[in-house]
């Protein structure tokens, strides 16, 4: 049944208790200023014949508070009703206080706006004072409740504190007079606890007293309604104390008592604050099953869909239902309208359909309070979000006329002036604000606007980033100081829209790095801007995963730093929110292109065009399409695509007028560099030089000038003009961010083109001299390692260790260098010490185990690997590394050297082969979870690892049947593995299953026609079937295509001998010598010659054959 009918039925069955429950419900609504709900409920009961005087009193004060919220000065209706109720003795005191309140204040939010005192007001004060002396306890408690409700409408003000003190004094009178075990005492204790909790600021004495009062009321026994009120008060107490779990526990108790809708709503709100949205949504649907027009439930569901799922269809549907519910219950509640609209506007991600609906709510609120500057400022903000800047400026001017000191209106007009390009007017407004006071200067939004002005007026990157950092720090500090558990208010304070604006400004300094080998070199001066922007967006995607803009911006950051896996994850999340996003499809194509998944990249590009045809005119699309064509080898088409891209506005020459679609400077430079690379690939070196010369003029004295210089030097290197490249790279000064990149390019040129190892290392020494940092010494050590100067590499790494301390990466480098010098003892000792500092690092543990295995110390290897288990730190331990360690453990246990300690001294608890199989099965179980959790990009590698595990399990199988089963499972995960197919075919051949073996070998030959092992097995099959000609034919094809395939050649020599055609052996041996003049020194060739001599029974050469056999077996060992 609907809530109101339930309550009426309860009142008919149990009049006193039913009215108490209704009073508890009205108190809950009044506490949250939902007076429209009280009016609707009371009117429904009155229409159905319930005319209790207490109901009429609730109706009168609900009318009064509603009139205050809508800023209407017409208090005549509530005052008239209260004047009638004045004659009721049990209501007289509360009614007198209500009359005083409504006649003294027009707007509870502006308590300084007094109506002129009159004789009537004075007489009401005298009458209330007299009535207080002889009022009943019920009358005193009702009057106290009115004072508490009036205080809750304006918490934090002087008037609020005055009302709370009056309520406290009235309740203390009751507590002094009533008996200990009476119901009045219990209710007064609960009411006093509510009053104490409403005082602003932390007062430990009041908190502990309130908790004690509530526990006494709950433990000593009271009526059901009083018990419900007590439980709700305890829940509120625990919430304000920060004990959310205890608060939820109390709310569960209230739900068990009555399945009370307010308790369900409060629990849903707290669960949402704890980010337990699934449970919160379940609570909200329970509410809607009983009250389908519940405004609070619809509002929380809108917030859930906006911030967690991003489902625009559901958002709009719930918004429409929320607006309908508000129209039914709270259509006069201007404060509720503006509170809802401002929070939803901050987390809607700028979606037009949502903003239009939210703006409609704001306009209703402004219509009720047309002179409230706060409401008008919010209206201006939402108009600016929709792009209606002129309307927003006009609204801001209206704000100034009503309240000249309103900061939100001033900031909004500055924002609009910046967006419309009126920078001088915006600067004047900023200067005017700076006169108003220091507190205004510390506004995060003002700092952001100053940063935008600094960048657009003078392009001062350092000032721009500094102001952005100040704004970010201040905004995050404001969030930390936010203690409210109201999720609606929290969304407004966290302000996702502001964070996106802040990150957008940071990302103005983001430029893709230059990649040389595995290193990335950022040429921008403000690398810190990228880190700050990325951190902000990461925080935003964690809190609001339904914001597609945050996912896409974070994906761009990760893409530029070559963190392609994270970027792919973000793009997939964005597409899950909106599969029609052209930007997401375009970025997906770029990511897939870096992974060489060309077919999928092409499909993503086509999807981007299908979602938005205009994307074809963007420079990003042109660059991505040309890169795809170039990767596929279609250089002519790629060249034509890039030539067209240079014709786009703003690429070859900067635009003279402001344009919303003006391409980024680094994108323009990328078009020139990419086209020059294609010209080089087509051997059009003259065109490449001419294009880069044009680019040098185009980007002179810009951030891309050095990038063009580096591209020109790479062109000179590829043309063989190392002297010119040396001059260009030498012109980069040490003060430039590109200095290190230029030296690395020069070093690679010296090593790969000039073959000068000394000059190669000298470039890295120059870097270390210019920047004596740990990173520079690591580069120097890696350079020494590259030219096999191992002792010098260790010295450089030790220097890096002195600069920055022992890190995981550096420890791995030093250990690798020690192993390369065959100093295995020191390497093992170094790895052991590093492992003590980082016990949860599986990579180190794996490296140490491999080293022990090489040193023929399997027991120590097993001891190290046995420590890798599922209890390791999940955040720092990769499941893939665990699986690799378990595979290595299986290899060590199954190695021949393990037999020496198989019994008694083996760290494993069983025979080595059984322990190896157990380790592989554990690895299989772990990898199964990885396969299930892997996304589309990682699934292929995860399945290959699974196939590798099954392949090793097959080797340890007890019989051929189990081995075949394992190989078949491996092929399920990696059906294209020729190695697994070959091993399975070999197993079939040894088992006499010639048909299955032949089928697998033919499948292998279809993918690799020259596969030696498959040809050898086919030859064996045909030989067993006595089809000698077919066997020789298969082997001849392999030998003719690959003369140095000695395994196939040995089998061919044997078959030719058995078929009586030994004379043809010399022909094939001659073919080998023709193919490779040095074949006579190859062991395989000499084995074939020895076999041929043996088959010919050449006594002179048989000893040579024996020597060849002995030599080759020795070499094989």
């Amino acid at each position: 049944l609907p809530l109101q009918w339930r309550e009426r039925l309860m009142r008919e069955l149990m009049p006193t208790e039913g009215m108490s429950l209704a009073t508890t419900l009205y108190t809950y609504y009044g506490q949250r200023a939902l007076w429209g709900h009280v009016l609707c409920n009371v009117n429904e009961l009155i229409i159905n014949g319930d005319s209790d005087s207490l109901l009429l009193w609730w109706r009168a004060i609900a009318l009064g508070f509603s009139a205050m919220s809508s800023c209407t000065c017409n208090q005549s209706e509530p005052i008239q009703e209260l004047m009638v109720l004045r004659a009721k003795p049990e209501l007289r005191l509360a009614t007198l206080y209500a009359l005083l309140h409504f006649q003294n204040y027009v707007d509870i939010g502006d308590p300084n706006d007094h109506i002129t005192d009159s004789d009537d007001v004075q007489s009401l004060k005298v009458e209330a004072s007299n009535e207080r002396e002889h009022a009943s306890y019920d009358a005193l408690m009702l009057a106290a409740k009115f004072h508490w409700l009036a205080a809750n409408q304006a918490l934090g003000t002087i008037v609020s504190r005055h009302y709370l003190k009056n309520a406290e004094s009235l309740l203390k009178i009751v507590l002094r007079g009533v008996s200990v075990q009476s119901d009045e005492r219990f209710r007064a204790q609960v009411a006093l606890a509510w009053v104490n909790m409403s005082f602003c600021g932390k007062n430990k004495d009041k908190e502990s007293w309130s908790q004690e009062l509530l526990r006494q009321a709950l433990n000593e026994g009271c009526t059901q309604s009083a018990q419900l009120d007590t439980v709700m008060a305890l829940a509120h107490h625990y919430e304000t104390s920060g004990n959310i779990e205890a608060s939820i526990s109390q709310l569960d108790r209230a739900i068990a008592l009555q399945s009370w809708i307010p308790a369900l709503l409060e629990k849903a709100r707290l669960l949402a604050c704890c980010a337990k949205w699934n449970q919160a949504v379940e609570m909200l649907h329970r509410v809607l099953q009983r009250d389908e027009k519940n405004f609070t439930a619809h509002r929380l569901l809108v917030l859930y869909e906006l911030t967690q799922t991003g489902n625009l269809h559901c958002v709009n549907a719930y918004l429409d239902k929320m607006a309908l519910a508000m129209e039914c219950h709270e259509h006069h509640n201007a404060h509720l309208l503006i509170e809802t609209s401002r929070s939803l506007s901050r987390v809607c991600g700028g979606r037009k359909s949502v903003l239009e609906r939210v703006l409609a709510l704001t306009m209703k609120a402004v219509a009720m309070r047309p002179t409230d500057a706060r409401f008008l400022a919010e209206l201006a903000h939402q108009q600016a979000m929709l792009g209606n800047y002129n309307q927003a400026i006009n609204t801001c001017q209206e704000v100034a006329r009503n309240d000249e000191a309103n900061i939100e209106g001033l900031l909004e007009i500055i924002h609009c002036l910046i967006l419309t390009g009126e920078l001088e007017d915006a600067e004047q407004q900023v200067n005017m604000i700076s006169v108003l006071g220091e507190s205004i200067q510390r506004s995060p939004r003002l700092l952001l606007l100053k940063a935008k002005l600094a960048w657009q007026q003078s392009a001062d990157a350092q000032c721009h980033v500094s102001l952005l950092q100040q704004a970010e720090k201040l905004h995050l500090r404001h969030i930390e100081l936010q203690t409210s558990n109201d999720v609606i208010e929290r969304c407004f304070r966290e302000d996702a829209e502001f964070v996106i604006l802040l990150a957008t400004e940071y990302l103005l300094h983001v430029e893709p790095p230059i990649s040389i080998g595995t290193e990335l070199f950022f040429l921008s001066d403000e690398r810190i801007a990228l880190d700050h922007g990325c951190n902000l967006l990461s925080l935003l995607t964690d809190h609001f995963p339904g914001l597609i803009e945050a996912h896409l911006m974070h994906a761009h950051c990760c893409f530029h730093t070559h963190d392609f896996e994270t970027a792919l994850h973000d793009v997939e999340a964005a597409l899950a929110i909106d599969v029609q996003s052209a930007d997401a499809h375009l970025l997906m194509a770029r990511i897939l292109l870096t992974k060489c998944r060309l077919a999928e990249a092409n499909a993503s590009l086509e999807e981007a065009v299908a979602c938005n045809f205009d994307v074809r005119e963007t420079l990003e699309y042109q660059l991505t399409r040309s890169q795809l064509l170039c990767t596929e080898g279609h250089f002519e088409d790629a060249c034509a695509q890039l030539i067209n891209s240079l014709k786009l506005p703003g690429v070859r020459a900067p635009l003279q007028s402001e344009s919303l679609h003006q391409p980024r400077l680094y994108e323009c430079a990328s078009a020139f560099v990419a086209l020059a690379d294609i010209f080089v690939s087509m051997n059009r070196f003259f065109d490449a030089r001419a294009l880069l010369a044009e680019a040098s003029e185009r980007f002179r004295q810009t951030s891309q000038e050095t990038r063009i210089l580096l591209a020109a030097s790479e062109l000179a290197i590829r043309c063989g003009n190392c002297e010119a490249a040396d001059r260009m790279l030498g012109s980069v000064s040490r003060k430039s961010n590109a200095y290190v990149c230029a030296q690395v390019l020069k070093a690679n040129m010296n090593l790969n083109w000039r073959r000068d190892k000394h000059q190669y290392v000298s470039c890295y020494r120059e870097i270390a001299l210019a920047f004596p940092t740990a990173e520079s010494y690591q580069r120097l050590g890696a350079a020494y390692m590259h030219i096999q100067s191992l002792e010098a590499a260790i010295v450089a790494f030790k220097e890096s260790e002195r600069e920055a301390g022992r890190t995981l990466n550096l420890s791995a480098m030093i250990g690798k260098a020690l192993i390369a010098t065959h100093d295995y003892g020191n390497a093992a000792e170094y790895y052991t010490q590093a492992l003590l500092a980082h016990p949860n690092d599986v990579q180190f543990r794996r490296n140490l185990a491999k080293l022990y295995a090489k040193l023929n110390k399997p027991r120590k290897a097993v001891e190290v690997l046995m420590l890798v288990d599922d209890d390791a730190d999940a955040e720092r331990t990769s499941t893939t590394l665990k699986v690799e360690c378990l595979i290595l453990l299986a290899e060590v246990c199954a190695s021949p050297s393990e037999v020496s300690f198989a019994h008694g001294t083996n760290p494993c608890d069983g025979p080595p082969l059984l322990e190896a199989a157990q380790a592989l099965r554990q690895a299989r179980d772990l990898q199964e979870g990885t396969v299930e959790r892997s996304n589309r990009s990682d699934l292929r590698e995860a399945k290959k690892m699974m196939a590798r595990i099954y392949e090793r399990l097959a080797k340890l199988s007890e019989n051929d049947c189990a081995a075949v089963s394992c190989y078949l499972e491996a092929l399920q995960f990696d059906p294209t593995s020729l190695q697994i197919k070959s091993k399975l075919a070999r197993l079939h051949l040894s088992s006499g299953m010639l048909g299955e073996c032949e089928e697998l070998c033919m499948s292998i030959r279809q993918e690799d026609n020259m596969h030696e092992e498959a040809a050898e097995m086919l030859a064996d099959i045909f030989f067993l079937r006595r089809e000698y000609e077919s066997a020789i034919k298969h082997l001849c094809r392999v030998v003719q295509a690959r003369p140095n395939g000695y395994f196939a050649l040995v089998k061919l020599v044997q078959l030719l001998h058995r078929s009586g055609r030994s004379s043809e052996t010399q022909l094939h041996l001659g073919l080998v010598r023709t193919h490779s003049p040095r074949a006579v020194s190859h062991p395989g060739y000499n084995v074939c010659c020895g076999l041929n001599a043996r088959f010919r029974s050449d006594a002179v050469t048989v000893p040579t054959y024996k020597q060849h056999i002995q030599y080759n077996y020795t070499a094989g060992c």
Side-chain angles (χ1 to χ4, degrees):
L1 290 174
L3 182 64
Q4 58 266 30
W5 289 101
R6 247 178 113 244
E7 290 173 350
R8 186 181 176 215
L9 182 62
M10 290 173 63
R11 279 195 296 277
E12 289 174 353
L13 297 175
M14 194 166 38
T16 304
E17 184 64 20
M19 182 53 67
S20 297
L21 286 171
T23 301
T24 303
L25 178 66
Y26 301 154
T27 304
Y28 170 81
Y29 285 143
Q31 183 185 4
R32 283 149 184 80
L34 299 176
W35 294 107
H37 284 70
V38 177
L39 273 175
C40 291
N41 196 282
V42 171
N43 288 337
E44 185 72 25
L45 293 174
I46 292 173
I47 290 172
N48 288 282
D50 197 337
S51 58
D52 190 285
S53 57
L54 184 58
L55 282 179
L56 298 175
W57 182 83
W58 277 106
R59 181 181 184 278
I61 66 167
L63 282 170
F65 283 121
S66 296
M68 287 182 174
S69 175
S70 59
C71 202
T72 59
C73 297
N74 184 13
Q75 296 279 356
S76 59
E77 185 178 0
I79 288 176
Q80 288 174 4
E81 293 191 10
L82 287 170
M83 293 296 288
V84 173
L85 294 170
R86 194 173 165 184
K88 303 286 184 179
E90 69 277 9
L91 303 177
R92 184 177 295 125
L93 182 59
T95 302
L96 290 170
Y97 282 130
L99 284 169
L100 280 170
H101 178 76
F102 295 136
Q103 287 194 359
N104 269 307
Y105 301 102
V106 173
D107 185 0
I108 195 67
D110 187 8
N112 297 318
D113 188 6
H114 291 265
I115 294 178
T116 305
D117 204 356
S118 63
D119 294 338
D120 292 339
V121 172
Q122 190 62 34
S123 66
L124 284 173
K125 289 181 179 180
V126 173
E127 186 177 354
S129 178
N130 294 332
E131 182 67 24
R132 178 172 174 169
E133 298 297 327
H134 57 271
S136 65
Y137 294 134
D138 286 339
L140 287 170
M141 283 193 288
L142 186 61
K145 181 167 290 186
F146 176 81
H147 280 91
W148 176 63
L149 290 173
N152 272 283
Q153 312 308 303
L155 284 176
T157 63
I158 297 175
V159 172
S160 171
R161 192 168 185 83
H162 170 71
Y163 276 119
L164 289 173
K165 285 188 174 295
N166 285 344
E168 186 179 27
S169 64
L170 289 169
L171 291 170
K172 286 181 178 179
I173 293 173
V174 176
L175 289 172
R176 284 195 298 268
V178 297
S179 61
V180 176
Q181 294 294 329
S182 64
D183 183 60
E184 289 86 355
R185 184 177 185 84
F186 296 145
R187 289 190 288 118
Q189 286 177 332
V190 175
L192 185 57
W194 276 115
V195 170
N196 288 336
M197 288 186 289
S198 297
F199 279 98
C200 292
K202 293 289 183 181
N203 190 321
K204 292 185 178 180
D205 294 335
K206 283 187 177 293
E207 286 183 0
S208 59
W209 187 30
S210 300
Q211 187 175 0
E212 186 62 29
L213 286 173
L214 293 171
R215 285 178 177 173
Q216 287 178 10
L218 198 60
N219 294 331
E220 293 176 5
C222 53
T223 61
Q224 189 178 28
S225 61
Q227 189 177 9
L228 188 62
D229 197 18
T230 306
V231 171
M232 292 296 290
L234 266 175
H236 183 74
H237 165 73
Y238 285 126
E239 178 189 344
T240 55
S241 302
N243 192 348
I244 303 298
E245 292 299 326
S247 179
I248 292 176
S249 176
Q250 292 298 324
L251 290 171
D252 287 334
R253 192 171 180 177
I255 293 169
L257 283 172
Q258 275 289 321
S259 188
W260 207 38
I261 282 182
L264 290 169
L265 290 173
E266 289 300 299
K267 183 178 179 181
R269 178 179 62 82
L270 290 179
L271 289 170
C273 285
C274 298
K276 298 178 181 178
W277 276 102
N278 291 334
Q279 299 177 49
V281 169
E282 182 183 350
M283 293 292 107
L284 296 173
H285 284 304
R286 284 180 62 182
V287 172
L288 291 176
Q289 286 175 358
R290 298 176 55 193
D291 182 6
E292 61 182 9
K293 291 185 178 180
N294 189 284
F295 161 77
T296 306
H298 285 302
R299 184 170 67 163
L300 285 174
L301 284 172
V302 169
L303 196 64
Y304 165 72
E305 296 294 345
L306 272 177
T307 61
Q308 305 301 312
T309 68
N311 189 328
L312 188 59
H313 176 73
C314 291
V315 169
N316 290 333
Y318 281 126
L319 269 174
D320 292 338
K321 291 179 180 179
M322 184 193 76
L324 181 62
M326 184 173 283
E327 190 65 29
C328 291
H329 299 298
E330 299 290 339
H331 55 282
H332 289 309
N333 197 333
H335 285 286
L336 184 64
L337 284 167
I338 206 71
E339 175 192 83
T340 302
S341 66
R342 70 178 188 176
S343 295
L344 296 182
S345 67
R346 299 308 190 274
V347 294
C348 71
R351 297 177 180 180
K352 187 176 180 181
S353 59
V354 179
L355 277 175
E356 288 174 346
R357 287 171 167 82
V358 169
L359 183 64
L361 299 178
T362 306
M363 294 183 73
K364 285 183 180 179
V366 171
M368 285 184 273
R369 301 175 69 92
T371 61
D372 194 312
R374 296 168 299 169
F375 286 35
L376 289 169
E378 181 59 31
L379 176 62
H381 182 78
Q382 293 178 18
Q383 288 172 336
M385 288 180 70
L386 279 168
N388 302 327
Y389 303 123
N390 292 330
Q391 291 182 16
I393 290 173
N394 292 335
T395 306
C396 288
Q397 291 171 353
E398 186 68 23
V399 172
R401 281 193 289 271
N402 288 281
D403 183 4
E404 294 181 355
N406 185 277
I407 302 303
E408 288 78 8
L410 293 173
L411 295 178
E412 197 56 50
I413 198 169
I414 294 170
H415 190 206
C416 292
L417 290 172
I418 293 174
L419 292 175
T420 54
E422 300 178 19
L423 303 181
E424 293 182 1
D425 293 343
E427 186 177 14
Q428 290 176 3
Q429 293 287 338
V430 169
N431 294 333
M432 182 183 71
I433 288 181
S434 62
V435 181
L436 296 179
E438 180 63 26
S439 60
I440 302 170
Q441 293 292 311
R442 302 303 298 168
S443 164
R445 195 169 185 84
L446 178 59
L447 290 169
L448 173 63
L449 295 174
K450 285 184 175 181
K452 290 172 74 74
L453 272 176
W455 179 249
Q456 294 191 24
Q457 284 185 321
S458 58
D460 188 343
Q462 186 175 0
C463 179
H464 184 231
V465 173
S466 175
L467 287 168
L468 291 176
Q469 287 178 280
Q470 294 178 42
E472 175 191 354
K473 183 179 179 180
L474 196 58
H475 180 67
L476 295 178
R477 184 182 177 187
H478 287 175
I479 293 175
E480 290 175 0
L481 296 175
Q482 172 66 23
T483 58
S484 173
N485 287 317
D486 186 350
V487 68
I488 298 292
E489 180 67 19
R490 182 175 292 183
C491 285
F492 173 70
R493 297 299 177 191
E494 291 184 3
D495 200 349
E497 181 229 356
F498 175 79
V499 175
I500 288 178
L501 288 175
L502 200 60
T504 303
E505 292 297 313
Y506 272 129
L507 298 189
L508 290 176
H509 303 282
V510 173
E511 296 179 0
I514 292 178
S515 175
I516 302 178
T518 59
E519 282 195 272
L520 300 178
F521 297 94
F522 288 86
L523 304 185
S524 173
D525 290 331
E526 301 298 340
R527 169 65 194 276
I528 192 173
L530 174 61
D531 296 334
H532 279 270
C534 195
N535 291 338
L536 274 177
L537 291 168
S538 179
L539 186 68
L540 202 59
T541 53
D542 289 341
H543 287 190
F544 305 111
L547 290 180
I548 187 173
E549 292 80 5
H551 284 294
L552 287 177
M553 292 172 69
H554 190 251
H556 275 287
C557 289
C558 295
F559 180 80
H560 287 319
T561 56
H562 287 210
D563 185 2
F564 299 122
E565 297 303 323
T566 306
L568 186 62
H569 175 75
D570 277 313
V571 174
E572 287 174 345
L575 288 173
I577 296 170
D578 183 9
V579 74
Q580 296 296 322
S581 173
D583 293 335
H585 284 295
L586 185 55
L587 185 53
M588 174 69 83
R590 297 177 67 187
I591 297 169
L592 294 173
L593 197 53
T594 61
K595 295 176 170 289
C596 296
R597 293 159 60 177
L598 306 184
E600 296 174 68
N602 189 41
S604 294
L605 275 179
E606 291 176 356
E607 284 288 340
V609 174
C611 295
N612 184 5
F613 288 116
D614 294 336
V615 78
R616 293 175 298 180
E617 303 303 320
T618 63
L619 187 52
E620 184 180 359
Y621 173 84
Q622 299 278 355
L623 289 171
T624 308
R625 170 61 70 184
S626 64
Q627 186 181 356
L628 176 62
L629 292 170
C630 188
T631 307
E632 292 174 341
H634 304 148
F635 295 111
E636 294 290 346
D637 295 337
C639 183
Q641 189 86 39
L642 283 173
I643 290 173
N644 287 333
S645 71
L646 294 180
K647 298 177 183 178
L648 292 174
V651 178
R652 262 203 155 100
L655 295 176
Q656 299 301 321
S657 60
E658 293 292 330
S659 174
L660 294 176
H661 303 288
Q662 185 166 356
R664 299 284 295 273
L665 200 61
Y666 72 82
E667 289 182 345
C668 300
S670 297
F672 281 94
V673 173
L675 184 54
D677 287 339
I678 292 176
F679 281 151
V680 172
S681 300
M682 299 169 66
N683 294 325
R684 295 169 58 179
F685 297 106
F686 177 80
D687 293 334
R689 282 193 291 269
L691 185 66
L692 289 178
E694 179 187 350
S696 179
E697 292 296 326
R698 163 70 173 88
F699 300 104
R700 189 179 298 279
Q701 296 182 349
T702 68
S703 60
Q704 300 301 307
E705 182 178 13
T706 307
R707 186 180 177 195
I708 300 300
L709 176 65
L710 295 176
S713 65
E714 287 189 89
L715 174 61
I717 293 171
R718 294 171 72 174
C719 294
N721 191 353
C722 294
E723 289 73 14
D726 205 346
R727 287 194 302 272
M728 282 187 268
L729 294 172
S731 66
V732 180
S733 68
R734 288 189 176 185
K735 296 180 180 180
S736 173
N737 291 324
Y739 177 75
V740 176
C741 179
Q743 290 298 318
V744 172
L745 277 175
K746 188 190 291 187
N748 290 341
M749 177 188 69
N750 288 328
L751 182 66
N752 299 325
W753 292 83
R754 291 176 170 173
R755 310 296 181 185
D756 190 336
K757 294 183 180 180
H758 176 73
Q759 289 296 325
Y760 168 74
V761 174
S762 69
C763 293
Y764 287 98
R765 281 201 296 264
E766 287 290 331
I767 295 174
L769 287 173
F771 308 103
T773 62
E775 186 179 6
S776 299
Y777 286 115
Q778 283 186 32
R779 285 197 183 97
L780 180 59
Y784 278 125
M785 288 282 289
H786 191 61
I787 63 172
Q788 297 300 308
S789 183
L790 304 177
E791 290 78 8
I794 294 173
V795 172
F797 288 141
K798 294 287 187 181
E799 189 66 33
S800 177
E801 191 176 40
R802 279 193 292 272
E803 291 288 336
R806 181 172 295 181
T807 63
L808 282 172
N809 188 34
L810 189 57
S811 298
M813 289 181 178
I814 296 176
K816 183 178 178 182
L818 290 170
I819 291 173
T821 59
H822 304 290
D823 190 357
Y824 299 120
N826 283 334
E829 183 181 353
Y830 196 86
Y831 274 136
T832 304
Q833 292 176 359
L835 202 57
L836 291 174
H838 307 281
N840 291 322
D841 191 87
V842 179
Q843 182 70 47
F844 256 84
R845 199 172 293 282
R846 179 172 175 270
N847 290 342
L848 181 57
K850 289 180 72 175
L851 180 58
Y852 280 138
K854 286 182 180 180
L855 294 175
N856 199 22
K857 295 180 180 179
R859 183 185 306 169
K860 289 189 175 182
V862 171
E863 289 174 354
V864 170
L865 290 170
M866 288 293 289
L867 295 175
V868 179
D869 54 25
D870 292 335
D871 297 330
D873 190 346
E875 293 181 356
R876 290 178 289 179
T877 303
S878 167
T879 304
T880 303
L881 283 175
K882 286 184 184 179
V883 170
E884 290 180 357
C885 286
L886 289 169
I887 293 173
L888 182 59
L889 176 62
E891 289 178 3
V892 174
C893 289
S895 63
S897 58
E898 189 72 14
V899 178
S900 61
F901 57 93
H903 301 285
T905 60
N906 183 10
C908 305
D909 296 330
L913 292 180
L914 291 179
E915 292 298 334
Q918 182 180 353
L920 287 174
R921 283 192 288 271
Q922 187 179 355
R924 178 195 61 192
D925 295 339
L926 281 174
Q927 192 63 19
E928 281 179 354
T930 302
V931 171
E932 291 175 0
R933 294 189 302 268
S934 295
N935 52 36
R936 186 174 58 181
S937 61
D938 298 331
L939 187 60
R940 189 179 307 170
E941 291 300 323
K943 286 186 174 181
K944 283 185 177 181
M945 178 65 78
M946 198 70 173
R948 180 182 165 195
I949 294 170
Y950 273 110
E951 180 187 355
R952 293 175 184 274
L953 277 171
K955 292 181 181 179
L956 299 177
S957 298
E958 297 178 356
N959 52 61
D960 291 347
C961 182
V964 168
S965 176
C966 287
Y967 279 129
L968 290 175
E969 286 288 342
L971 286 175
Q972 290 291 326
F973 288 99
D974 190 5
T976 62
S977 174
L978 300 184
Q979 179 181 352
I980 297 174
K981 287 182 179 180
S982 178
K983 290 182 178 180
L984 180 58
R986 179 68 67 184
L987 187 59
H988 284 321
L989 182 61
S990 64
S991 303
M993 303 171 66
L994 303 184
E996 289 81 354
C997 178
E998 182 181 4
E999 183 179 351
L1000 279 170
C1001 290
M1002 295 302 293
S1003 173
I1004 294 171
R1005 293 291 296 274
Q1006 286 178 357
E1007 297 183 37
D1008 183 4
N1009 194 35
M1010 297 297 113
H1011 196 280
E1012 292 185 38
E1013 193 173 2
E1016 181 184 342
M1017 285 187 285
L1018 282 172
D1020 287 338
I1021 292 170
F1022 289 126
F1023 181 80
L1024 291 172
R1025 292 174 179 172
R1026 299 180 182 276
E1027 299 177 10
Y1028 303 118
E1029 292 298 327
S1030 297
I1032 293 172
K1033 181 179 178 182
H1034 275 288
L1035 287 174
C1036 283
R1037 286 179 182 174
V1038 175
V1039 170
Q1040 289 172 5
R1042 193 178 297 163
N1044 59 349
Y1046 294 117
F1047 288 105
L1049 185 57
V1050 168
K1051 181 66 68 175
L1052 178 60
V1053 170
Q1054 292 172 344
L1055 282 176
L1056 287 172
H1057 168 67
R1058 293 178 183 181
S1059 60
R1061 295 164 57 181
S1062 297
S1063 58
E1064 298 180 17
T1065 303
Q1066 290 294 338
L1067 176 63
H1068 293 290
L1069 291 175
L1071 183 63
V1072 173
R1073 291 192 299 272
T1074 304
H1075 177 265
S1076 176
R1078 301 181 63 184
V1080 292
S1081 63
H1082 293 171
Y1085 174 79
N1086 287 292
V1087 168
C1088 294
C1089 290
L1091 284 173
N1092 183 41
R1094 178 188 176 189
F1095 294 148
R1096 289 169 54 197
S1097 301
D1098 190 339
V1100 177
T1101 57
V1102 165
T1104 308
Y1105 155 74
K1106 291 181 180 179
Q1107 292 174 7
H1108 289 323
I1109 294 295
Q1110 184 180 7
Y1111 168 78
N1112 285 293
Y1113 274 119
T1114 304
C1117 295

